[in-house]
Amino acid sequence: MKNLIFIGMPAVGKSTVGVVVAKRLGMEFIDTDLLIQKQEGRLLSEIIASEGIEGFLQIENQVNLNLYAKNAVISPGGSVVYCKEAMQHFKEIGTVIYLQASYETLRRRIRSLKKRGVVLKEGQTFRDLYAERTKLFEQYADIVIREDGFEIEETIENVLERVKGLQ
């Protein structure tokens, strides 16, 4: 099966859904935020604080662009959609699945944006970020899975149903 790449906002469930989908399909699971932290030897929030947003995005682009995997479920950070080279690479090596949830759903799930390592520009609100990124997620998505109104197991089943038959 082709790689499956989950994109979406923070707290949408890319890692949670991705791990279970990988287990159910017998695929490897890769969280690229963890690869970034390993490479840099720091938490995402520390990288953003010291390198700034542009510096972090350069690191994120490089790590994702250099990821070569087969038969894997890949979960990059939500800001990867700002990394054109990395997103083009993902489109070439797999099927991009956008896990979509409403702003209200995500706001309830997220307690601290800073602790999650969310990339926010000076003066930008989470609502602004949601509006900005949603357009990019839709642009890159091969498949959109809507989460609102579904329990996590239902989302997983929806993903599995949609990817059935992908080669």
Side-chain angles (χ1 to χ4, degrees):
M1 176 176 281
K2 289 174 77 172
N3 294 315
L4 302 176
I5 298 98
F6 287 93
I7 61 171
M9 291 295 290
V12 79
K14 297 180 297 289
S15 296
T16 305
V17 171
V19 166
V20 176
V21 167
K23 284 181 182 179
R24 300 262 300 266
L25 295 175
M27 300 172 79
E28 178 182 8
F29 177 76
I30 301 168
D31 184 322
T32 66
D33 280 349
L34 296 178
L35 296 179
I36 292 168
Q37 288 184 164
K38 182 178 180 181
Q39 173 183 297
E40 298 298 308
R42 302 178 277 173
L43 298 174
L44 297 179
S45 57
E46 294 170 340
I47 299 167
I48 295 166
S50 65
E51 307 298 325
I53 292 172
E54 288 306 313
F56 173 77
L57 291 175
Q58 287 176 357
I59 293 166
E60 184 172 39
N61 188 55
Q62 173 262 316
V63 168
N64 286 286
L65 182 60
N66 292 325
L67 177 62
Y68 292 95
K70 290 188 176 185
N71 198 42
V73 173
I74 303 166
S75 174
S79 57
V80 74
V81 291
Y82 298 124
C83 305
K84 290 181 182 176
E85 295 166 317
M87 287 307 301
Q88 184 57 43
H89 173 64
F90 284 149
K91 296 285 284 180
E92 291 168 4
I93 68 166
T95 300
V96 177
I97 301 170
Y98 170 30
L99 296 179
Q100 191 276 335
S102 68
Y103 169 80
E104 292 74 21
T105 296
L106 296 173
R107 201 62 207 136
R108 280 194 309 271
R109 292 180 184 175
I110 296 178
R111 289 178 181 82
S112 170
L113 295 172
K114 188 170 184 172
K115 286 181 183 175
R116 285 192 72 99
V118 175
V119 175
L120 282 174
K121 298 173 196 150
E122 184 78 27
Q124 188 178 38
T125 67
F126 186 65
R127 186 177 289 281
D128 296 336
L129 184 73
Y130 181 85
E132 180 178 277
R133 286 190 186 175
T134 297
K135 294 172 192 161
L136 295 170
F137 294 137
E138 290 170 354
Q139 171 188 325
Y140 287 114
D142 296 311
I143 296 172
V144 177
I145 302 292
R146 304 205 188 288
E147 289 191 0
D148 289 323
F150 293 102
E151 297 295 325
I152 191 78
E153 187 57 40
E154 292 172 302
T155 297
I156 291 164
E157 290 300 327
N158 289 340
V159 169
L160 292 169
E161 184 62 34
R162 292 290 301 276
V163 301
K164 196 184 331 178
L166 290 179
Q167 305 261 340

